[in-house]
Amino acid sequence: MLHTVPAFDRIGDENAFAVLARATALAQAGKDVINLGIGQPDFRTPAHIVEAAVKALRDGHHGYTPATGILPLREAVARRTLATTGVEVSPESVMIMPGGKPTMYAAIVMFGEPGVDILYPDPGFPIYRSMIEFTGARPVPVPMREENGFAFSAGETLALITPRTRLLILNSPANPTGGVTPRAEIEKLVKGLEAHPQVAILSDEIYDVMTYDGETHTSLLAFPEIRERLIVLNGWSKTWAMTGWRMGWSIWPNSAESGRLHDKVRKLAVNCWSCVNAPTQYAGIAAIDGPQDEVDRMMAAFDRRRKVVVEGLNSLPGISCITPKGAFYAFPNVAGTGWKAKPLASALLEEKGVALIGGPDFGVHGEGYLRLSYANSEENILRAIERMADFLAGGRPH
Ligand code: PLP
C-alpha cells in the first residue's frame, strides 16, 4: 500500500452527498424519492446571469484572470457588501474563490496545526470539523442549542476560549439548523473577544440574505474593532441558485498587524487553482448588479415552504420543530419518536423514499434531530410529511 500522510486519514466527508447519491440510485431504480436532503436551491440560475457567462465566452473571456479575481467583480462585491452591511470594504480585500468551501479550507489551513484549538459550531457545517482535523488542530465544538433557537451563545462561546485558541468559526444564518444569532449576542461576543486578541474569526455568512419574519442578519463586518482579524465567507451558491458554478467570495484583512492574510490566500490560490474560471466571474457581476426580483421570488417561496414544513413536522407524533429564522433548513427534534436520528433518516429513505439527513452528520450535538432542506415544492414537502406520518404510525421497531 502507498504511504500517504496521516492528515488524509483524518479528513472527513459530507454525508449530504452520500445521501444524494443513494437517493439518485433509488430513483434510477424506479423508486419515487422526495429529496429533502441536499442543501441547494431547486430554482434555476436567473437567465440574465447565464447570458452574462455565455456572452463572456463569446467575447473571448476564456483565459486566466488575476488570482484574486477580476477587478470589476471585486468592485461589485464591495458595492454589494456596502449595500447589505453598510460597511465599506476595499476591492483589494476581496478574494474570488472557487466556491464557499475553499475559503473554509484556506482559513482553517492558515491557522490550524497540532497544539492549537479551533472552535466551530456543533451542529454545524461538517466541513469545519473535518478540515480542522485535517490540520491536526484540536476541534472544539461550540454547542448550538435548540433552547437558544440554535443561535450562538456569547457566554458559552467565550468560556471555551483558551490561550491555545487560534480561530473561532461562526455561522449565521446557520446550516443545518436555520438558526440566526441576534445582534445583541454578537455584540456581546465581540466585546468578549477583546480579551483574546490572538483569536482570528471566520464568519460564514453565505446565507446572509436568507432570513424571515423580519429577522435581520448582522455581519461581523459591522464591528471595526475585529476587522484586522476577521475573514468573512460569502458567495453566489445559495442566493442566486448557483451551486454548480463553483464561485464564492471572501473578505480578508491585509495589514501587517493581521499577518497580511489577503496576500497569503492569494498565494494559496496561485499555487492551487490560479483563478476562478473567467466566464463565471462575469456571471457573478450580473448576479450582483442585475435585477434581484428572482431572488425575491425564491425567498418568498422558501418562506411559504418553511411554514408548511414546520406545521407538518409539528403534526407528527414524537416530533417537534422550532421555526427556523434563516437559510432553507428545518431541524426538527425527533427524540420523542424513540428513534436515533441516523437510523431514522436511513429508514425513511429506504422504506418511504424520503431523503433527509440525520443530525449527527453535523456533529455530536445533532443527535436527536433531522435536517430537512425545504428546497423542494410545497406539494413534495406535504407528500414527504404524509410518508413520515405513515412510517411513524407503522410502529416499526427501532
Ligand atoms: N457554508 C455553509 C454554511 C454552507 O451550508 C455551504 C453549502 O452548503 C457552504 C458554505 C458552501 O458553499 P459552496 O457550495 O459555495 O462551496
Side-chain angles (χ1 to χ4, degrees):
M1 195 170 79
L2 298 177
H3 190 89
T4 56
V5 297
F8 279 87
D9 297 323
R10 295 193 302 264
I11 199 165
D13 217 329
E14 187 179 349
N15 201 35
F17 283 99
V19 172
L20 178 64
R22 180 69 188 141
T24 308
L26 287 171
Q28 276 165 356
K31 197 169 176 90
D32 175 21
V33 175
I34 304 170
N35 198 340
L36 306 181
I38 195 78
Q40 69 178 337
D42 56 321
F43 297 91
R44 294 184 74 140
T45 304
H48 70 278
I49 300 176
V50 176
E51 284 312 312
V54 172
K55 179 172 184 312
L57 278 174
R58 292 220 167 96
D59 290 349
H61 295 298
H62 44 60
Y64 291 126
T65 78
T68 52
I70 55 173
L71 181 60
L73 180 57
R74 285 182 286 117
E75 286 171 343
V77 167
R79 274 195 300 281
R80 197 249 186 200
T81 306
L82 180 61
T84 54
T85 67
V87 177
E88 268 195 56
V89 299
S90 155
E92 299 306 309
S93 66
V94 176
M95 185 71 203
I96 303 302
M97 303 287 270
K101 274 181 181 168
T103 291
M104 275 170 220
Y105 170 76
I108 295 169
V109 297
M110 218 178 265
F111 289 97
E113 64 178 321
V116 310
D117 287 358
I118 299 184
L119 273 55
Y120 68 101
D122 179 340
F125 193 57
I127 301 306
Y128 305 141
R129 184 186 173 101
S130 167
M131 285 312 311
I132 296 166
E133 289 189 323
F134 180 74
T135 67
R138 187 167 73 113
V140 179
V142 181
M144 299 292 112
R145 301 187 189 280
E146 184 179 353
E147 59 268 30
N148 287 343
F150 297 113
F152 277 83
S153 144
E156 197 165 8
T157 308
L158 292 166
L160 290 166
I161 295 179
T162 72
R164 289 160 47 112
T165 310
R166 279 250 182 103
L167 179 67
L168 164 64
I169 303 175
L170 303 171
N171 174 220
S172 173
N175 179 5
T177 60
V180 176
T181 304
R183 187 177 181 98
E185 209 57 28
I186 294 179
E187 282 171 359
K188 256 199 261 172
L189 185 61
V190 170
K191 184 101 199 69
L193 282 169
E194 274 172 27
H196 308 285
Q198 87 285 6
V199 178
I201 301 135
L202 168 63
S203 182
D204 182 342
E205 304 186 4
I206 203 158
Y207 296 101
D208 62 352
V209 295
M210 299 193 161
T211 56
Y212 310 97
D213 295 338
E215 189 71 39
T216 50
H217 161 69
T218 303
S219 173
L220 271 287
L221 282 169
F223 302 90
E225 57 272 48
I226 54 165
R227 271 296 286 283
E228 291 309 313
R229 48 181 168 135
L230 173 67
I231 302 158
V232 174
L233 180 162
N234 210 321
W236 284 265
S237 294
K238 315 289 174 173
T239 307
W240 291 281
M242 292 176 70
T243 50
W245 293 70
R246 305 314 302 142
M247 185 166 68
W249 76 78
S250 36
I251 297 167
W252 301 72
N254 207 31
S255 61
E257 172 198 353
S258 76
R260 304 214 186 281
L261 300 190
H262 189 272
D263 213 41
K264 287 181 171 140
V265 68
R266 179 190 62 76
K267 282 195 238 164
L268 185 69
V270 168
N271 279 267
C272 294
W273 57 80
S274 296
C275 62
V276 171
N277 77 79
T280 293
Q281 296 192 45
Y282 286 87
I285 300 173
I288 289 178
D289 287 346
Q292 304 297 311
D293 46 329
E294 289 195 49
V295 176
D296 296 342
R297 267 203 295 282
M298 181 172 80
M299 284 309 297
F302 280 147
D303 196 11
R304 284 194 302 275
R305 296 164 180 185
R306 181 178 70 112
K307 289 168 185 148
V308 171
V309 82
V310 169
E311 194 183 313
L313 287 166
N314 280 316
S315 74
L316 298 175
I319 296 188
S320 64
C321 184
I322 63 168
T323 303
K325 293 185 176 159
F328 43 76
Y329 307 107
F331 205 63
N333 185 327
V334 297
T337 61
W339 282 81
K340 289 270 189 208
K342 281 186 63 111
L344 178 58
S346 141
L348 284 167
L349 177 57
E350 299 297 328
E351 294 178 31
K352 292 290 173 188
V354 178
L356 33 71
I357 317 282
D361 284 334
F362 303 96
V364 290
H365 296 282
E367 184 52 86
Y369 297 90
L370 297 176
R371 186 192 80 170
L372 284 78
S373 157
Y374 47 87
N376 207 322
S377 66
E378 278 175 61
E379 186 197 346
N380 279 340
I381 291 169
L382 286 169
R383 285 170 61 223
I385 298 284
E386 249 171 58
R387 291 183 188 188
M388 289 173 78
D390 208 42
F391 178 84
L392 292 168
R396 261 261 276 103
H398 22 78

